[in-house]
Amino acid sequence: MPSDTGALTPHVSALPKHAPGEPGYRRVLLALFAAGVATFALLFSTQALLPAISADLGVSPGAASWTVSATTAALALAVLPLSAVSERFGRQRTMTWSLTAAVLLGLAMPFAPDLGSLIALRTLQGAAIAGIPASAIAFIAEELRARAVIGAVGLFVAGNSIGGMAGRIITGWTADAWGWRAALATVAVLAVLCAAAFRVLLPRARHFTAAPLAPRALARTVRGHLSDGLMRRLYAIGLLFMTVFGSVYTMIGYRLAGEPFGLSAGLIGSVFVIYLVGTGSSAAAGRLVARLGRRGTLYAAAGTTAAGLLLTIGDSLAAVLAGLVLLTAGFFAGHAVASASVSHAAKTGKAQASALYQVAYYVGNSAGATVGAVAFHAVGWNGVVVLGLTALTGVTGITIHATRLATAATRTAAHDRARTEPRATVRARTPAGGPVRGEPTGQRIGAGLARTAEGTGAETIR
């Protein structure tokens, strides 16, 4: 097992970070893509199987949904402690241990005798999986050059979407043929292959320096991140986006299995090929940010997700599938931007900053699955849609607030510059590339600051 612990020597720390086009960069991307596939394939392995589990074990949708909710809740609880472990023992080692434990639990899961045992194993698996998101984005931020971080995070998220899709499709068709237990075994085998690829491909860390386990220091770091308004807004966005996604994809199987659709487990699993849309939108997040800015991309992501939700209301299968396409594209784009923004904004304690985002993200998934099951049981699919639209209203409100803060800050900076800039300097500018006659000086400076902020990423939610 590779070790990335211990204080780095000057020779090692002087090595350059991996840049696009280099073999080491490609190995990092492929390894973390494999880890992302395994993580989501295992994490949501029971989601497409919920109707089959309900029927076989004689339990309600709400009870069966705990095989998803308990897993994501355990992940949310474990991700912060494991981020501290990764600071001491290394991102690489933490991810390897976590993936190994999650795979072993996955291999044991098909033999669970009842729902309680299955939920217990799923809870332990969620805690084990937590080491991947607790370390992966911090590893990317440490080992890759800054301009490559958003693209790499997007590809890691794309691996998540591929894993979520493959796991659900495999489990759906396997359950049709041999039952839900065989389906879980098949997903575990897929995760074994991904874990092996991760272990072989991931290059040794170059820029990690071990830190002692210090609970008080960890608590101070966490308090610092939670007291930062920008971080709180990013965490809230991740939580709300995942509430929508978790509620929809946990309950969609019951909706498609019931009237008027009546789809089999295999066909329901095949619906998750829509995750490929999320793969594309998350990988394209960097290009969207370059065109729209980070806040603009979040507005677009929330609007696309809301449009998708509304399309799923009808009884047309084509409309429901189109709605899932839009919802998935919007969710993954928003998630990629918010998670990368956390890594960009955190100047210290990057692992803890990313871990707190993961806590919020998976709390949102657990809450979405649980509350979505209650809403579906009470009023049907429309209850799930109302829950999702409420969460997206929160995302939009947070982004509007951030836009106002950014606008106010830009105006203040422009006003200060206008007051301190010598008038002679302004008059001395030439018309070529310079100010337009009659345009207020403060207005020109404000526009320049806004363009500068957009280009550097400083316009990230304030």
Side-chain angles (χ1 to χ4, degrees):
M1 179 183 298
S3 173
D4 53 358
T5 63
L8 298 180
T9 65
H11 172 72
V12 175
S13 62
L15 290 173
K17 293 189 174 187
H18 297 292
E22 297 176 356
Y25 174 81
R26 289 191 291 269
R27 289 181 62 192
V28 169
L29 294 190
L30 290 173
L32 292 178
F33 182 85
V37 170
T39 297
F40 257 49
L42 291 172
L43 187 61
F44 297 108
S45 58
T46 62
Q47 198 169 60
L49 301 174
L50 292 180
I53 292 172
S54 291
D56 185 50
L57 300 180
V59 298
S60 68
S65 72
W66 277 103
T67 63
V68 178
S69 300
T71 312
T72 53
L75 189 156
L77 291 173
V79 70
L80 188 58
L82 285 178
S83 74
V85 169
S86 80
E87 295 279 6
R88 174 64 182 88
F89 297 103
R91 324 295 185 199
Q92 197 166 4
R93 180 174 290 183
T94 301
M95 288 189 286
T96 302
W97 286 348
S98 294
L99 200 49
T100 301
V103 166
L104 292 175
L105 287 163
L107 291 170
M109 214 165 290
F111 304 100
D114 52 36
L115 182 64
S117 301
L118 180 60
I119 291 173
L121 286 170
R122 292 280 292 159
T123 301
L124 292 173
Q125 190 177 56
I129 288 172
I132 305 297
S135 308
I137 295 177
F139 184 91
I140 289 171
E142 289 171 351
E143 301 301 324
L144 302 186
R145 292 188 181 175
R147 63 188 173 90
V149 168
I150 288 183
V153 171
L155 193 60
F156 174 64
V157 174
N160 292 346
S161 68
I162 289 287
M165 178 198 70
R168 290 167 171 92
I169 292 175
I170 290 170
T171 56
W173 285 108
T174 306
D176 261 358
W178 296 292
W180 64 269
R181 295 180 186 275
L184 291 181
T186 306
V187 170
V189 171
L190 170 66
V192 168
L193 298 175
C194 290
F198 169 81
R199 175 66 179 81
V200 170
L201 288 169
L202 193 69
R204 185 185 181 92
R206 293 176 171 183
H207 299 277
F208 172 77
T209 302
L213 289 173
R216 291 183 178 178
L218 174 63
R220 285 196 300 271
T221 301
V222 170
R223 284 196 301 270
H225 289 318
L226 292 178
S227 64
D228 186 309
L230 167 59
M231 289 297 192
R232 288 199 305 271
R233 286 186 282 276
L234 291 171
Y235 298 151
I237 286 172
L239 186 152
L240 292 169
F241 263 124
M242 195 54 168
T243 297
V244 181
F245 197 72
S247 62
V248 168
Y249 274 100
T250 299
M251 289 296 108
I252 193 64
Y254 289 102
R255 172 157 168 74
L256 295 178
E259 294 297 332
F261 307 113
L263 300 188
S264 67
L267 289 174
I268 291 171
S270 296
V271 166
F272 290 94
V273 73
I274 290 170
Y275 262 53
L276 286 174
V277 176
T279 304
S281 67
S282 57
R287 294 192 297 274
L288 288 172
V289 169
R291 295 186 63 180
L292 304 176
R294 298 185 191 234
R295 290 190 303 274
T297 302
L298 287 174
Y299 284 127
T304 302
T305 306
L309 267 175
L310 293 172
L311 273 177
T312 64
I313 293 175
D315 288 338
S316 164
L317 181 59
V320 171
L321 296 179
L324 290 175
V325 167
L326 290 177
L327 182 145
T328 303
F331 163 75
F332 275 104
H335 167 47
V337 171
S339 59
S341 296
V342 167
S343 178
H344 172 82
K347 303 307 178 188
T348 60
K350 286 183 179 289
Q352 285 72 42
S354 296
L356 285 169
Y357 177 83
Q358 297 297 328
V359 169
Y361 179 77
Y362 287 108
V363 164
N365 182 271
S366 184
T370 302
V371 180
V374 172
F376 182 81
H377 182 73
V379 296
W381 184 253
N382 287 348
V384 177
V385 172
V386 170
L387 172 64
L389 292 175
T390 302
L392 290 171
T393 300
V395 171
T396 304
I398 291 169
T399 311
I400 288 172
H401 177 64
T403 301
R404 289 174 176 171
L405 289 177
T407 301
T410 301
R411 287 175 178 171
T412 300
H415 179 69
D416 291 343
R417 285 278 302 274
R419 291 179 60 186
T420 58
E421 185 179 61
R423 292 179 179 272
T425 303
V426 176
R427 287 196 298 269
R429 292 176 182 163
T430 61
V436 178
R437 291 186 180 275
E439 183 182 15
T441 303
Q443 188 175 345
R444 293 193 299 270
I445 297 171
L449 288 174
R451 286 192 297 272
T452 301
E454 188 78 22
T456 61
E459 58 85 48
T460 304
I461 302 173
R462 287 186 175 271

